[in-house]
Amino acid sequence: MTMSANALGDRSSKCPEGDSPISSVDEPEKLDGEREENSNPGTDDEGEDVPATQGRKISERQQLQRAQFKSWFDRRVESISKEDDRKLQKQADIELQSKSVLIAEQESNVIIGDPREYQLELFERARAKNTIAVLDTGSGKTLIAVLLLRHILDEELEHRGTGKSPRIAFFLVDSVTLVFQQYAVLECNLDQKIERFCGDMGCDLWSQEIWSTHFQENMVIVCTADVLYQCLMHSFVSMSQINLLIFDEAHHAKKNHPYARIMKDFYLAERDPTKRPRVFGMTASPVDAKVDVVKAAKQLETLLHCQIATTSDLTMLRRSVHRPLEETVMHEKLISPAETQLFRQLRAPFGDLEILSKQFRNSKEASIQLGPWCCDQLWASLIQDDEGQRATSQLERDLVSKNRDALPAEAAEAQVSQLRQAVSIIKGHAFEEPRVEAAHLSSKVRLLHAILGEIFAFPTEAKCIVFVRKRYTARLLGELLGRIGTPFMHVGVLLGARKGDVGDLNVTYRQQLLTLLNFRRGKLNCLFSTSVAEEGLDIPDCNIVIRFDLYATLIQYVQSRGRARRINSRYIHILEQGNNEQLELLRDVRAGEHIMREFCESLPSDRLLLGNDCDLDGLITAERSQKSYTEHSTGAKLTYNSSLAVLAHFVDCLPRDVEAAAKPNYVMTFQGRQYVCEVVLPDNSPLRSVIGAPASRKAIAKRSAAFEACLLLRRNKYLDSHLLPTYQKQLPAMRNAQLALTLKNTQAYDMRTKPAIWANSVGTVPASLYMTVIDLEIYDERRPGQPLALLTRHPLPEIPGFPLHIRAGCKSPVICTPMKRPLPTDPKRLDAINVFTLRVFKDIFNKTYEADVTTMPYFLAPVIRGSRALRDGQAEDLLDCDVLKYVQDNETVSWDDNTPDEFFKDKFLADPFDGGRRYFTVGVDPTLRPFDPVPPGAPTRRHMENILQYSSSLFKNSRARVNYKAEQPVILTHRVLHRRNWLDDISKEEENASSKCYVCPEPLYVSALPTTVAAMALMFPAIMFRIDSVMIALELFENLNLYVIPELALEAVTKDSDNSEEHRAEQVHFQRGMGKNYERLELLGDSFLKMATSISLFTTKADSDEFEHHVNRMLLLCNKNLLKTAQKLRLFEWIRSKSFSRRVWYPEGPKLLQGKGINRFKQEHKHPLNDKTMADVCEAIIGAALLSPLPQDEAHYFDNAVAAVTAMVDSPNHAMMTWREYFSFYKTPGYQTAPPTRSQIDLADQIANRHGYRFRHPRLLRSAFLHPSYPFSWEKVPCYQRLEFLGDSLLDMVCVGFLFHRFPDRDPQWLTEHKMAMVSNKFLGALCVKLGFHKHLRSNGSSLEAQIRDYVMEIQETEREANGAVDYWVHAKSPPKALPDIVESYIGAVFVDSEYEYGEVERFFERHVKPFFENMSIYDTYANNHPTTFLTNLLTLSFHCTNFRILSQEIPALNPSSISSSSSSVLAAVMIHNDFVAEGRAASGKSAKVKASSNALNKLQDLSEAEFRKTYRCDCTGEGIAAGGGGGGGGEVVGSGAAGAATATAATATAPAGVGRAAIRD
């Protein structure tokens, strides 16, 4: 509270009754030489002002714990790195090793050592020029590749021997399985190092360093084409570093296949032919589609820059490779059978269910092609094993995904319900066993059954493959023939390795290999396979191949026929009677093969390689018509086609979010006659969306958008010079390493001990003095005092009241009343005042100063007891002139043998040599004599022979020279006990100390100062210390040009322990009696700083997205920036980090003639501060300015705080000095003022009707409800992210303001924890639903609407069950993040629309938020459930343990190439009595500590206190644990070092309008 004029003199209030009064002296030093040795044990003048033993022990213990943690951390990091690499590598390799083992068991890995003549012939061609070898499947093309590799490797070794740069060979395949298969073959036939790579190994995440290592260590790489393409694109390798490219199944090289892209983007782009590698392609047919065979072959030659070649001696080839006998069998014409009972039962209610449309189509086709039994079995597959649950879940996800825009929530839920009903019907259907009859099976299947029955009628070595088109066909036939086949038929199914559709099989590569291995070993002899068995896979030779479904292309025909290569093999075509299309297809493929054979055989051996150069030029020209970007520093190349992969990789590396799309979302619109594509990235991306150039084709428009997005990412350095993502690694590094500060970095800084006003007050004889009357509200009735006047040359500011602890359990506020009118001072009056001042210093504090008025910075004078100090009164009327004159006339008060005993009552005695001996007299004891023994109970001294010797402080030799009177009175006195700090509570030792003492007056002198003056003067050092502190703080704010009320100025710069920043931690070197520290103001200032910088960035950087706003705001308000400002402004000089010290309170200026001076204690001018303290003080300064609104009527109540923010951030990104400047800088964007649509106007009407705020700009309101996934091109309105960024800070500020003023005695930790409830996603999600905002959200996400639907149903049900309890939201699940986001974005939109009127934010808070938090106690459990808080409370309050720490440190990337080093992480540990109890690891220090705390709680929660103490050898007494949120002095603290932390009762400032005004009105 602010103190007004108060009465001076005696007070009616009394202290509580107790022991004899305890007075205090600021223990002065003794004169050198003539004094008693160790005269006052326990009060060493050179000692610390605060008992330091305990604080030192705590500090030493923490240093030891930090050292132990560092040692433990280093050991754990080493093991963690190894564990992570081992686990990740194991996960990556487990499938690969399994495949390798299976492939190793294949019989065909070792190639025959003797190549055939046609193989040698083609090898010679390939050695001389780029060649595509066209040979039948099984004719040994791989051997030719091995021969060529051996030749190239031999050449490479020769080149390396001559000093040429190393080059590497690549064997490229089209599938992952072939990687392992061909690697196994090459490894058995090459004697150089070879390695294999595919996407499953995570190599798309590898860095250049990792790839360089592999390229250096190996001479041959077997990989999928996409792996090499990525390496070339990122410039990890260049064409000039490759000596051989082998393309397996080369016919795939067309369009945008990776084979084609490698040649187009990199091979043909290399203009120097000498830097191009040799190219060798292998295929059974260069054509894989229904096209002109010769034309397609020439195009393949052009693209691969090769010549097609086959053997010139077909006879030799046919002797080596046995062709099967082709047969054609006919089945009866297929008819459409009647619908099955199950089909009809499902079609009636669910036929229109779109999500089952594919199942209905497949089942109908299966009914025709396979028969009714297979039709029903297709439905049965939905409920087999776990397939039912998987299918239902998948279908529900598809439903949400495909119908998110078309269906309202109710309709979607109805479809899900229908789907479940369909599954229930299938489960209840009675399925029959299959019978070989028309009622169950089609004619085609019955024919197949007959053929297979003939083949496997008896035990046989035959092996058969049945080729089908559809996966479900292979599965159904496998199941069917497994039931009705012969006993000698062992059926298997071979499908492509991928996740199957609904009702389909999920097949892995390992399962493929196991099936083939069992087929090779004879455990299976009949495979039903899709096209996966046509090419590539090493399938054992068969003697029967049946085309149940015919081939679609020539190459399918050639390759599937090549599987039947045993002697006397059969290749059976199953055709439908009367089906001309099938007959024509058979004729076409046979004719095409003949044409291709003739083409290959007719090629002249000396034909020029580039026989069709015009086509090549056309191809290159077509590629150049599309944009490309090449990074000059590395050579990495971005093209239209590669941009899709680069962008997908970037998105995949973003931190995962539940709602964020895992891939870019491409949205196509049609403008004129061209397509325009917008790519929308997840909302956690630094780039939200980019629009590409118009294009005539959708595919090109899509690539254009991706290309432009990649360019923008590279321009903003989110892609590095290799086009790899940097975003994931940069943000944590920026946040943790660059911007954070540490408590460990502590330096000794200069500290001001005196305000500048005193130095400016000397050198002149004052003509007048300004009076500040110092009085106590309560005086100790047993030691009454008298007000003193502090007289200064300049008027003093308003000094806020503060408490003095005048005795145990009794505090009295100090009242400082400045008089407006100065006191005239003539020489006589000035001399009297000066003499009085010097006498106080001498008699009370044993300091003798030179009597020079010009050197005195201030003076003291007695004030008449009982008078009332009025600010407008006459100062001279208050002076006690009688006391002034008496002191001026009498240096001491004399006495003699005739002096009556009454004289010695109520006097102040002082020892001239020992400042520690001061006494208040009670009176003469007539029963005692000077040479009587010292009465019991007196403090022990060196000389205890008698009372007279006891009264003297002289040393032994001096005593021998002095003869004291034998006859003199013995006086009962109360010794002034050694009180070091009146601002602090009285210790138990002081409270229990006895002050009664008997002395003789001769060794002492009687002071002329009245005891009332002496009693008050004894407290003057503490009072002056606080006055100095206030004025030092005010000087700081004056230098900053900020207006702050005095009590807040001091609070803002007060640090009362070495670790004030660690709320609820064991306080180290706690400085008592300093009043409130800066913590609460820091919390308030932090919130305003966040809001102010957010508004400034939102206003001045309209083109920046939310990510850039976050980064720029972090740069402004980060501790590192605030530290820089603090050091620039030298804030460390003004920070108050030391409590009252008797060494520094004395005036500087007058010459000290006797006593110890301040210059002997230079260390008092220094204080240790860590970096974070100075950053925190910057925020506290802002908080103090916020609570001190400018007095001018025209000033906004935030103007002072805005100016403080500008001063503290010291950045051009926040240059505003007043609140109204924010909006003056705002440039209204075009989208905001554009004409709104009818829909947008309707939205504004709904909001106005329900929530009472009418938006001037409906399009701005629409922006608040647009999810980041919503394409900009649809409404030309940006998403809510920037508004959410702004609204988040506004909501944070209004919540902190509310709590700050509603709970003035709660510590910052409590405020923060309860604020987190108010701004938590849980609450804001519930509020969003309560306000109906979720209905207005527009998104384009795949599953967001479903998540919102589920959440809305749950939270509404939870609210109904709560029966009016406002904390119902605590018990619900967490909402989708979009819901709390739109609450914050709405607040931001209201703020902008109202032209930055903060009152609108408060109105929203009053109306919608505050009703939930009228009673904050109901959220105590919610706040305390934070694992770290809960652990702290468990240890301190339940186990009474104070010796624990939670420490954390970022794990360095020890091995840059390590798999585990792709992202940073932090390791935290919980230590209890130096034992490591639990650890946690996460991406941030906060999360790591939460995990560590949770793990520790799991161990400790079930322990009793006795078990805990025994387990952890805990002997803590629990002293100093502050339970509950104490006042603002030290906050809630834990540990013995915090015992007795005081809460000052300093006045509380009136909050400015607009900051927590709701709390003020309450």
Side-chain angles (χ1 to χ4, degrees), residues 56 68 292 340 525 537 540 804 832 925 942 1025 1074 1103 1113 1157 1170 1172 1207 1268 1337 1358 1500 1517 1556:
R56 189 180 299 114
Q68 289 176 323
D292 184 293
T340 67
N525 57 13
L537 290 179
L804 292 185
D925 189 334
R942 179 177 295 274
F1025 172 81
M1074 297 187 69
D1103 294 333
R1113 184 176 69 187
N1170 60 57
K1172 190 173 185 302
L1337 176 66
T1358 303
L1500 302 177
T1517 63

Side-chain angles (χ1 to χ4, degrees), residues 102 105 107 463 516-524 540:
L102 293 173
E105 297 185 26
E107 298 171 358
K463 288 184 179 179
L516 292 175
L517 184 61
N518 289 330
F519 189 57
R520 179 181 297 282
R521 292 174 173 174
K523 293 181 180 180
L524 302 176

Side-chain angles (χ1 to χ4, degrees), residues 761-785:
S761 298
V762 296
T764 63
V765 176
S768 63
L769 294 170
Y770 288 89
M771 177 185 292
T772 299
V773 177
I774 301 173
D775 199 1
L776 295 183
E777 188 172 293
I778 302 173
Y779 282 102
D780 189 340
E781 63 177 3
R782 299 185 182 183
R783 180 57 57 208

Side-chain angles (χ1 to χ4, degrees), residues 1074-1085:
M1074 297 187 69
K1076 292 184 178 182
N1077 65 25
Y1078 60 68
E1079 291 179 356
R1080 278 175 54 90
L1081 289 178
E1082 175 216 340
L1083 173 67
L1084 188 65

